Amino acid sequence: MNALGLTMIMKMGCICTRETININGIKYSVLERLGDGGFSTVDLVECKNNKKIYAMKRMTCHSIADQQKVQREIDYLKKIRHANIMELHDSYFKGSADIVVNTTSEAFLVLPYYPRGTLHDNLQSRAIEKHHMDVTEIFRIFSSVCDAVQYLHEMKPQPLAHRDLKTANICFTDNFTPVVIDLGSMVEARIQVCGSQDAQKLQDEAAENSSAPYRAPELFNVDSYCVIDERTDIWSLGCILYALCYFMSPFDLVYMRGDSVALAVLSGGVHFPEESKYPDHVHDLIIYMLNTNPAERPFIQSVIEKTQIVMNTVNNIA
């Protein structure tokens, strides 16, 4: 750079100044971009008041429906208090929070930052070296996630379903406590489907909000007259336990090949490696949750009880 260019930059000041966002009178300085999706971005920010680091989720709303969905996520986060579910520090709507007319609005959610990353990240690193997790650690993590799911499924006055439980939506705190994140897909768990229009709407929402390799079969092909309940999450828990053992969902390879995940899920075929370090009791627990018939799939309390039995059995074998 020549002397003239350097002089101009010195006169102008730094052109790389950090963005500052004001949330309800508190200023946050954006440090870096953590993630960028189709509907939202997540930035690493520093609170100028207490110098603490947070993750800030920024969502653009293009319609009243978008705003209602974001507001629902905020309301759930404000209501929920559980050690294994992400908490909300603050939130703010920029623009119209009631109606959108030829414009957009932005929602900002100030959330905890988890520097130890996600379970998905951890399992990907382990997969490279084929470093399988110890069965005790598997059940420590899985039991904590089950506790979070039980809390949601027993909410009053209506049980809630996360609807997008997966390894990428489980983070670790500094002491490796698992925390369920991203409640944007969460809904009241029990939905009465009355007719083909209701069925198609629910199926479309599931395709948009629920990741295919962890999505329950009844959400791929919604019956015209049925009740969908919280046991969609139980299917996802079965996929998560499989991933804890073998690094990915039993349907991830189908997804990566570009084959039909729906067909694979609806067929109900779950294959375990021939040479496995885990006892059949663990496989039985996975199959227990991956029942393609939602009416026969267990509720969370039964999963927790069976998990405890399997844990005790495995410990006695060891």
Side-chain angles (χ1 to χ4, degrees), residues 118-236:
T118 68
L119 175 58
H120 174 77
D121 299 333
N122 182 281
L123 293 174
Q124 278 199 320
S125 297
R126 287 176 172 273
I128 295 171
E129 301 294 331
K130 300 296 181 183
H131 181 204
H132 290 271
M133 202 177 292
D134 182 83
V135 70
T136 302
E137 180 67 359
I138 286 175
F139 280 118
R140 182 190 72 82
I141 294 170
F142 183 70
S143 295
S144 294
V145 176
C146 284
D147 287 344
V149 171
Q150 182 179 36
Y151 176 85
L152 296 177
H153 288 189
E154 295 181 355
M155 287 288 286
K156 305 295 182 185
Q158 295 291 335
L160 299 174
H162 186 284
R163 289 280 175 83
D164 196 24
L165 290 171
K166 57 184 179 181
T167 56
N169 279 342
I170 299 169
C171 283
F172 290 110
T173 65
D174 287 339
N175 63 356
F176 281 100
T177 297
V179 176
V180 174
I181 68 167
D182 197 353
L183 307 188
S185 59
M186 195 160 69
V187 293
E188 289 187 2
R190 294 166 189 174
I191 298 174
Q192 182 78 48
V193 179
C194 300
S196 58
Q197 286 188 331
D198 281 358
Q200 189 61 53
K201 180 183 177 183
L202 181 55
Q203 196 166 304
D204 291 344
E205 288 174 350
E208 180 179 338
N209 298 313
S210 304
S211 299
Y214 293 83
R215 191 188 312 162
E218 61 269 28
L219 295 177
F220 280 101
N221 187 17
V222 181
D223 291 337
S224 295
Y225 294 92
C226 67
V227 175
I228 302 292
D229 64 25
E230 58 267 37
R231 285 175 287 183
T232 55
D233 286 346
I234 302 302
W235 177 276
S236 303

Side-chain angles (χ1 to χ4, degrees), residues 258-277:
D259 295 336
S260 173
V261 178
L263 287 177
V265 167
L266 291 166
S267 73
V270 179
H271 303 285
F272 298 99
E274 291 184 5
E275 295 183 3
S276 172
K277 65 173 291 182

Side-chain angles (χ1 to χ4, degrees), residues 242 246 249-251 254 264 267-274 283 286-287 290:
Y242 185 101
Y246 304 112
S249 161
F251 307 103
V254 178
S267 73
V270 179
H271 303 285
F272 298 99
E274 291 184 5
H283 294 170
I286 293 170
I287 294 171
L290 295 182

